[in-house]
Amino acid sequence: MSRDRLRAVIFDVDGTLVDSERDGHRRAFNKAFEELDLPYRWEPEPYGDLLAVTGGQRRIATYLEDQGIDDPERSDLAAKLHERKTELFQALIADGQIPARPGAAELVDDLDAAGVRLAVATTGSRAWVEPLLRQLFGENRFQVVVTGDEAPDRKPDPSAYVRAVDGLGLAAAPDVVALEDSRNGLVAAKAAGLSCVVVVNDYTRDEEFSEADLVVTGFEANGSTFVLHDPFGLAPSDRLDVDTIRQVAARAASPD
Ligand code: XBP
Ligand code: MG
């Protein structure tokens, strides 16, 4: 098996590189609701269902629609709430309250040291994505960063991944590996023609990941179950490492 088939790794941000939804975005949305004197509060568990709608402004607008608020008031309010939510989330980042997932920074370091090209494809907004990546992973760590600002169709639309691959000067192919945490992200990566390793979290653990090339519970083993789905039988036992991602790319690119 060729060991040099891994052309690049493209990371999702929310839920993958960082544990940002439950105690990050959700708190910022709730604070924005409070500041605008709105009665809405998103509790941790139902917020998991709201995550099916990607993009914060779209998530708010869908929720307002469910509350019976019509356009143009709905769109105006969603835009206003999202603007404030973004400021509040930036403040959480500056305050060090949005952590990297355990083992994520080590994997980024190891991939970088191994000369693998790194990019980001996220549905989140550039206004917070850039400072967060800088703070947790270092200046200019990712050669290409595509955010929801440049790919407004949002995942599961593949455009963020298509743009990231293009920005790296590569052709979309299974030797480019996406790291994702959600079904929406997996569908986006696969529709772009990439391999995909899924690192689940508590919100996404029960989603459907049968098309994934590997599904694990974290970057590092944390308890008894680590590998959830392993069609190539690569089965890393303790952590998601560079060699495993190389093998995923090689197997996906030449399955026989
Ligand atoms: C992340 C999102 C984002 C965040 C909020 O999805 O859908 O909308 O929840 O960020 P993914 P914004 O991990 O699939 O990219 O408020 O900036 O949209
Ligand atoms: Mg995600």
Side-chain angles (χ1 to χ4, degrees), residues 6-26:
L6 179 61
R7 303 237 187 270
V9 173
I10 307 179
F11 285 91
D12 170 52
V13 177
D14 287 305
T16 303
L17 282 175
V18 291
D19 210 352
S20 54
E21 291 292 1
R22 183 194 148 111
D23 298 324
H25 292 298
R26 188 186 64 85

Side-chain angles (χ1 to χ4, degrees), residues 1-10 116-117 161 165 168 170-179 186 188-197 211-214 232 234 242-256:
M1 184 190 310
S2 164
R3 290 177 54 81
D4 60 2
R5 293 298 298 271
L6 179 61
R7 303 237 187 270
V9 173
I10 307 179
V116 177
R117 305 174 73 189
Y161 279 109
V165 172
L168 289 167
L170 298 173
D175 50 16
V176 177
V177 178
L179 256 79
L186 168 65
K190 285 289 169 183
L194 312 184
S195 296
C196 186
V197 173
E211 310 95 318
D213 298 287
L214 179 66
F232 299 135
L234 302 172
V242 176
D243 200 49
T244 303
I245 296 174
R246 276 194 195 287
Q247 290 185 55
V248 166
R251 293 296 288 267
S254 335
D256 304 322

Side-chain angles (χ1 to χ4, degrees), residues 12-15 21 25 29 47 51 53-57 59 82 85-86 121-125 128 154-155 180-182 184-185:
D12 170 52
V13 177
D14 287 305
E21 291 292 1
H25 292 298
F29 285 121
Y47 184 67
L51 286 172
V53 179
T54 50
Q57 191 165 326
R59 188 170 305 140
H82 191 251
K85 176 262 162 182
T86 299
T122 173
T123 284
S125 312
W128 63 259
R154 307 294 202 271
K155 300 172 190 173
E180 270 290 351
D181 70 306
S182 70
N184 277 327

Side-chain angles (χ1 to χ4, degrees), residues 123-233:
T123 284
S125 312
R126 185 166 289 277
W128 63 259
V129 169
E130 279 190 340
L132 180 70
L133 294 178
R134 199 179 314 123
Q135 183 167 313
L136 295 180
F137 303 101
E139 195 79 49
N140 298 326
R141 211 58 197 285
F142 301 92
Q143 290 169 32
V144 175
V145 175
V146 178
T147 70
D149 296 28
E150 299 82 48
D153 285 340
R154 307 294 202 271
K155 300 172 190 173
D157 186 273
S159 52
Y161 279 109
V162 171
R163 277 177 170 268
V165 172
D166 204 46
L168 289 167
L170 298 173
D175 50 16
V176 177
V177 178
L179 256 79
E180 270 290 351
D181 70 306
S182 70
R183 165 125 203 109
N184 277 327
L186 168 65
V187 171
K190 285 289 169 183
L194 312 184
S195 296
C196 186
V197 173
V198 177
V199 187
V200 302
N201 57 49
D202 286 346
Y203 277 132
T204 63
R205 179 179 295 265
D206 296 326
E207 292 183 355
E208 166 61 41
F209 292 125
S210 54
E211 310 95 318
D213 298 287
L214 179 66
V215 184
V216 291
T217 53
F219 292 94
E220 304 168 333
N222 177 22
S224 52
T225 309
F226 180 56
V227 180
L228 297 178
H229 173 66
D230 186 8
F232 299 135

